[in-house]
Amino acid sequence: MKLAPSILAADFGRLQQEIEEVANLIDYLHFDVMDGHFVPNLTFGPPLVNALKDKIEIPFDIHLMITDPGLYARKFKISKEDIISFHIEAASDPKPIIAEIKSRGAKVGVALNPTTALSAIEPILKDVDLVLIMSVYPGFSGQNFINVLPKIRQLKRQIAEQGLNVEIEVDGGIKASNIKEVISAGADIIVAASAIFGQKDRRKAIEELKRASL
Ligand code: DX5
Ligand code: ZN
């Protein structure tokens, strides 16, 4: 399992320290970029993410919850180990977005809301590096996990049947009590905000999640 803590539940007033405190325990840092249109919440955009990019060495996992991913994806500084994911619901023409992110050498992910069927991403499954399955309605941290386990299993099967090299990331409502079933269903990367940055001892919370995932 790879772990991608979301800074959404971190203390933004001391963001760099918050991140450095957990840096050696995590695989990615997950950034929830929200525009107040695609989701009913506003967070941050390229200025903040790019400023941290110069200071933090962990790979970035940028989750775009915005109506115009094609326009804004290119404004993020990325290197080859980073991921940018856009929502299929926001992309009328996903192919140029995928091509643009790939042309900069980074990994590209496609995200799906809980109610969006896997058939929506079928035509581009072979073109992406990752599928981000939402297990809450995007917009806020601290929501309850929606049971998307059958969807994860089905996607895992499709990826295997087609012989693809596509990772599955699951995002929303994951904590020590349910992480194991998400992993068993087929998740490769786990996102968690409140289960990590919402806890007093973040390092202990990460160790607990890792233990619970085994
Ligand atoms: C929701 C975001 C998630 C969120 C997860 O819109 O995409 O990444 O931060 O928060 P938790 O882990 O608290 O559900
Ligand atoms: Zn997210």
Side-chain angles (χ1 to χ4, degrees):
M1 172 194 68
K2 292 182 208 161
L3 200 57
S6 162
I7 62 161
L8 198 55
D11 177 353
F12 283 12
R14 52 186 297 276
L15 204 45
Q16 198 183 337
Q17 298 101 293
E18 287 271 74
I19 297 164
E20 280 166 358
E21 202 179 304
V22 298
N24 66 342
L25 296 178
I26 68 178
D27 302 282
Y28 287 101
L29 200 59
H30 186 87
F31 290 93
D32 287 308
V33 177
M34 304 185 189
D35 67 352
H37 291 273
F38 181 71
V39 286
N41 196 9
L42 268 172
T43 54
F44 46 78
L48 180 128
V49 179
N50 293 345
L52 287 167
K53 182 77 190 147
D54 294 332
K55 301 194 164 97
I56 310 281
E57 281 184 13
I58 316 155
F60 279 18
D61 174 29
I62 302 168
H63 179 190
L64 299 179
M65 285 160 277
I66 63 177
T67 47
D68 205 341
L71 178 61
Y72 292 104
R74 68 190 63 171
K75 300 193 187 290
F76 291 89
K77 265 189 211 166
I78 40 175
S79 42
K80 67 173 181 2
E81 61 282 352
D82 300 324
I83 307 167
I84 298 192
S85 297
F86 65 91
H87 268 264
I88 192 68
E89 302 87 359
S92 48
D93 188 8
K95 296 237 166 153
I97 305 173
I98 295 170
E100 197 276 326
I101 297 168
K102 278 192 170 172
S103 74
R104 292 191 286 150
K107 295 184 185 174
V108 60
V110 63
L112 287 98
N113 283 340
T115 48
T116 302
L118 288 175
S119 56
I121 56 158
E122 224 166 73
I124 55 161
L125 187 56
K126 61 175 185 333
D127 303 317
V128 297
D129 299 292
L130 174 142
V131 177
L132 171 46
I133 294 192
M134 291 303 301
S135 41
V136 295
Y137 294 101
F140 302 92
S141 63
Q143 304 181 74
N144 288 330
F145 182 81
I146 296 169
N147 184 2
V148 291
L149 299 173
K151 196 177 189 177
I152 301 169
R153 289 188 201 106
Q154 195 190 336
L155 177 61
K156 194 78 174 176
R157 265 199 309 275
Q158 281 179 15
I159 291 169
E161 279 164 13
Q162 297 180 38
L164 301 173
N165 184 19
V166 174
E167 288 192 295
I168 301 178
E169 179 172 28
V170 184
D171 182 4
I174 300 178
K175 38 189 179 242
S177 57
N178 60 14
I179 192 168
K180 178 116 193 231
E181 51 186 5
V182 181
I183 294 290
S184 307
D188 303 294
I189 307 175
I190 294 289
V191 179
S194 46
I196 295 173
F197 287 113
Q199 305 303 308
K200 204 163 183 269
D201 187 338
R202 286 84 201 262
R203 293 184 65 87
K204 198 169 135 222
I206 290 173
E207 303 289 10
E208 248 170 62
L209 279 176
K210 286 186 178 173
R211 245 196 325 274
S213 75
L214 301 174

PDB file of all heavy atoms in Angstrom, residues 30 32 63 65 171 191, ligand 2:
ATOM      1  N   HIS A  30      -1.037  14.527  -0.935  1.00  0.00           N
ATOM      2  CA  HIS A  30      -2.257  14.717  -1.733  1.00  0.00           C
ATOM      3  C   HIS A  30      -2.778  16.145  -1.573  1.00  0.00           C
ATOM      4  O   HIS A  30      -2.988  16.621  -0.452  1.00  0.00           O
ATOM      5  CB  HIS A  30      -3.294  13.699  -1.248  1.00  0.00           C
ATOM      6  CG  HIS A  30      -4.557  13.644  -2.031  1.00  0.00           C
ATOM      7  ND1 HIS A  30      -4.705  12.857  -3.162  1.00  0.00           N
ATOM      8  CD2 HIS A  30      -5.745  14.257  -1.846  1.00  0.00           C
ATOM      9  CE1 HIS A  30      -5.941  12.996  -3.620  1.00  0.00           C
ATOM     10  NE2 HIS A  30      -6.590  13.840  -2.845  1.00  0.00           N
ATOM     11  N   ASP A  32      -5.817  18.700  -2.485  1.00  0.00           N
ATOM     12  CA  ASP A  32      -7.195  18.803  -2.944  1.00  0.00           C
ATOM     13  C   ASP A  32      -7.466  20.206  -3.461  1.00  0.00           C
ATOM     14  O   ASP A  32      -7.749  21.131  -2.697  1.00  0.00           O
ATOM     15  CB  ASP A  32      -8.146  18.458  -1.796  1.00  0.00           C
ATOM     16  CG  ASP A  32      -8.144  16.969  -1.512  1.00  0.00           C
ATOM     17  OD1 ASP A  32      -8.333  16.192  -2.465  1.00  0.00           O
ATOM     18  OD2 ASP A  32      -7.941  16.569  -0.352  1.00  0.00           O
ATOM     19  N   HIS A  63      -5.004  16.528  -6.901  1.00  0.00           N
ATOM     20  CA  HIS A  63      -6.377  16.105  -7.207  1.00  0.00           C
ATOM     21  C   HIS A  63      -7.192  17.340  -7.585  1.00  0.00           C
ATOM     22  O   HIS A  63      -7.560  18.126  -6.719  1.00  0.00           O
ATOM     23  CB  HIS A  63      -6.943  15.401  -5.952  1.00  0.00           C
ATOM     24  CG  HIS A  63      -8.352  14.938  -6.093  1.00  0.00           C
ATOM     25  ND1 HIS A  63      -9.081  14.468  -5.014  1.00  0.00           N
ATOM     26  CD2 HIS A  63      -9.178  14.851  -7.162  1.00  0.00           C
ATOM     27  CE1 HIS A  63     -10.293  14.124  -5.422  1.00  0.00           C
ATOM     28  NE2 HIS A  63     -10.380  14.350  -6.717  1.00  0.00           N
ATOM     29  N   MET A  65     -10.316  19.190  -8.412  1.00  0.00           N
ATOM     30  CA  MET A  65     -11.781  19.170  -8.369  1.00  0.00           C
ATOM     31  C   MET A  65     -12.241  20.527  -8.882  1.00  0.00           C
ATOM     32  O   MET A  65     -12.697  21.392  -8.132  1.00  0.00           O
ATOM     33  CB  MET A  65     -12.256  18.909  -6.928  1.00  0.00           C
ATOM     34  CG  MET A  65     -12.063  17.452  -6.525  1.00  0.00           C
ATOM     35  SD  MET A  65     -12.047  17.227  -4.746  1.00  0.00           S
ATOM     36  CE  MET A  65     -10.335  17.634  -4.421  1.00  0.00           C
ATOM     37  N   ASP A 171     -10.164   7.527  -2.252  1.00  0.00           N
ATOM     38  CA  ASP A 171     -10.093   8.809  -1.554  1.00  0.00           C
ATOM     39  C   ASP A 171     -11.417   9.131  -0.878  1.00  0.00           C
ATOM     40  O   ASP A 171     -12.436   9.309  -1.539  1.00  0.00           O
ATOM     41  CB  ASP A 171      -9.750   9.893  -2.604  1.00  0.00           C
ATOM     42  CG  ASP A 171      -9.589  11.279  -2.007  1.00  0.00           C
ATOM     43  OD1 ASP A 171      -9.654  11.428  -0.767  1.00  0.00           O
ATOM     44  OD2 ASP A 171      -9.377  12.222  -2.798  1.00  0.00           O
ATOM     45  N   VAL A 191      -5.753   7.588   0.163  1.00  0.00           N
ATOM     46  CA  VAL A 191      -5.726   9.004   0.574  1.00  0.00           C
ATOM     47  C   VAL A 191      -6.421   9.105   1.935  1.00  0.00           C
ATOM     48  O   VAL A 191      -7.432   8.438   2.164  1.00  0.00           O
ATOM     49  CB  VAL A 191      -6.495   9.881  -0.450  1.00  0.00           C
ATOM     50  CG1 VAL A 191      -6.492  11.344   0.003  1.00  0.00           C
ATOM     51  CG2 VAL A 191      -5.882   9.744  -1.831  1.00  0.00           C
TER      52      VAL A 191
HETATM   53 ZN    ZN B   2      -8.694  14.223  -2.775  1.00  0.00          ZN
END
